[in-house]
Amino acid sequence: MILERVIGFALTWAVGLSAQAADWRAEVTDFGERLVALRAVPGMGIAVIRGDRIVHQRSFGIADANTGRTVNNDTYFYIASSTKALTASAVALRAARGELDLDAPLVDYLPELEGATWDAQGVTLDELLAMRHGMEDRWPIVLRTAYSGDFTRAKLVALLKDYQPSENGKTFDYNNLGYNLLGLVLGREGVHGWKRAVEAEVLAPLGMAQTTAQVSELAEERIALPHNLATATISRIPLLKADANLHAAGGHFSTASSLARFVAAHIAGGNMEGERFLPEAPLLLTQQRHSRQDRQFGDYHRTGWGYGWDIGDYEGEPLLHRFGAFSGYRTHMSFMPERDIGVVVLANATTPAVDLMANYIYEWLLDRDEVTKRFAHRLKDMKQRLAAYRERYAKHLRERKQRASLPNHPLEAYAGIYENNELGTMEWRLGEEGLEVRLGVAHSSAEIYDAGDNAFRIEVNGGGSVAHFLVDESGDVSGVRFLEREFTRRP
């Protein structure tokens, strides 16, 4: 099998050096520049893989609209749920050495879960990887891991004990919970120990020096900062990621070329540029179908789930992929196992332009007809949809502005610290521009939503949500209700 791969890679590499290959590079550059010009994406980094080699990388647009700083090939983007593929590979590699047993129950690795409401004894590592563990995903762990960063191993275990089995049983259900549990299994010495495990198992062997789960190690000038496409001009939004809320289901910043090394290793069974870095069998295990699904995501039909990979197709071509999205970021990481080609596209806005860019690259690599002409129509359609999206957003902002009125209490009356055992601690304070809220790492300005109901709109959990302040019989603010839970005001 290895000899067949080497011969196949030599052939694809030869094709990559042809005059036609040079043409597709120019076409890809032009297409990326047109996406930026259309304001379909602020900034973008791309990398293209043939066999076990990265054959092209390019950067486009801006990393920071406030300063005009541009993206380059060494610019880092947050990759969100693409981390799941890295975590799954780390688990598979340890299992291959006998350090983990994928058929063993979770309580063998987290004995603190004995006596949980759900049957922790009956959930295996395989079921966590395959997302058919049968547990519902709820806000307490989602909020603490992905947004506030306010969690410890003991706290997560305590919250998990009260979780309930899913109504759908042990069928595939995409969520973060299983991979956050795998993070605890990988990093038994601490809640962030999974970062060292992925570094040791995947990043270091593959030379992925530009992939990190410690954003504090990066100067801001090296990061493509997040932006909002909905405004009339593309605008910066706060970076809501720090070391504390980088978790095993979404926890890395990376450059396109660094992430492409991971894709190349998966295409080539652990090889990179003719040299073996990882064993083949564990990587192939992650690519096999372990759960069934039947979902359409944009241009991709998903039929299965491996360990960390969606399994499906694009235009009839089998495609393994793992995308990611978070406020101000979008990632496309994929490869075609039967063609030995792959693409990574990273962007600093939540935009479908990353998939369009990836599809354009694939169309050229597959040598399909009239690619430029067909995608010119796709660009025109995207331009129209963006215009409609921005019009809806402008209308939404006007409606929000009309709702604003003076609340029942002066703003300083709402300032204080509020606590909830499940969700953590909210701190409300009066800033120069009005009321602000902080929930661990997550922070947001507060906008009056319904003055008569003491309700404020905040953005600390991935989108706009409403927090309702509670008033006691004496008329004093005593608490706040958020995500269907009550926070009690600290005296």
Side-chain angles (χ1 to χ4, degrees), residues 305-421:
W305 174 264
Y307 289 161
W309 292 105
D310 281 292
I311 300 169
D313 70 85
Y314 165 70
E315 299 287 342
E317 290 286 347
L319 185 78
L320 273 81
H321 54 288
R322 180 83 299 265
F323 302 159
F326 187 78
S327 180
Y329 290 101
R330 180 70 162 76
T331 301
H332 177 115
M333 177 175 70
S334 67
F335 66 98
M336 293 181 174
E338 295 183 4
R339 301 282 189 166
D340 292 332
I341 55 178
V343 175
V344 172
V345 183
L346 308 179
N348 56 341
T350 308
T351 171
V354 296
D355 297 329
L356 195 62
M357 181 83 252
N359 295 348
Y360 190 75
I361 295 170
Y362 277 126
E363 294 279 336
W364 277 101
L365 296 181
L366 294 170
D367 198 24
R368 290 184 170 171
D369 295 332
E370 297 186 320
V371 178
T372 304
K373 180 180 179 180
R374 287 187 288 108
F375 276 74
H377 292 292
R378 298 288 300 272
L379 283 176
K380 183 178 180 180
D381 178 62
M382 175 166 280
K383 181 179 181 180
Q384 293 171 344
R385 287 189 287 117
L386 278 168
Y389 171 54
R390 290 176 175 129
E391 186 176 335
R392 290 194 303 271
Y393 186 73
K395 180 181 178 183
H396 171 64
L397 289 180
R398 290 193 296 270
E399 291 172 348
R400 281 164 51 182
K401 188 174 182 179
Q402 290 171 359
R403 279 200 307 261
S405 59
L406 292 175
N408 296 332
H409 296 73
L411 291 180
E412 56 266 26
Y414 301 101
I417 297 176
Y418 300 79
E419 297 173 326
N420 176 272
N421 185 55

Side-chain angles (χ1 to χ4, degrees), residues 279-306:
E280 181 179 34
L283 299 187
L284 292 179
L285 179 65
T286 69
Q287 299 171 25
Q288 296 172 11
R289 186 172 68 182
H290 297 281
S291 296
R292 296 180 181 275
Q293 58 173 318
D294 185 7
R295 298 189 297 164
Q296 193 71 26
F297 185 95
D299 294 320
Y300 317 102
H301 182 220
R302 294 172 171 173
T303 57
W305 174 264

Side-chain angles (χ1 to χ4, degrees), residues 26-140:
E27 290 287 349
V28 165
T29 297
D30 179 68
F31 194 75
E33 290 172 348
R34 291 174 71 183
L35 284 171
V36 171
L38 279 177
R39 294 187 296 121
V41 62
M44 187 166 55
I46 69 168
V48 183
I49 307 99
R50 282 187 184 272
D52 65 349
R53 300 173 188 270
I54 300 168
V55 297
H56 186 56
Q57 58 179 315
R58 189 71 163 76
S59 54
F60 306 89
I62 57 169
D64 183 352
N66 290 356
T67 65
R69 177 169 56 90
T70 57
V71 175
N72 61 50
N73 289 341
D74 297 317
T75 300
Y76 287 73
F77 295 76
Y78 177 54
I79 69 170
S81 285
S82 293
T83 282
K84 290 182 176 71
L86 305 179
T87 300
S89 291
V91 173
L93 288 162
R94 286 199 169 178
R97 295 198 304 271
E99 296 175 19
L100 294 174
D101 181 356
L102 300 186
D103 295 321
L106 177 60
V107 290
D108 281 9
Y109 302 98
L110 297 177
E112 309 99 305
L113 286 175
E114 286 279 8
T117 303
W118 48 277
D119 184 15
Q121 185 67 42
V123 175
T124 65
L125 301 193
D126 162 72
E127 289 169 334
L128 295 176
L129 285 164
M131 293 204 183
R132 41 180 172 75
H133 46 70
M135 290 178 288
E136 64 176 22
D137 205 11
R138 296 169 54 197
W139 267 118

Side-chain angles (χ1 to χ4, degrees), residues 187-201:
R188 300 181 69 181
E189 70 275 19
V191 75
H192 290 293
W194 71 270
K195 297 180 179 182
R196 292 185 287 277
V198 173
E199 169 75 26
E201 300 292 342

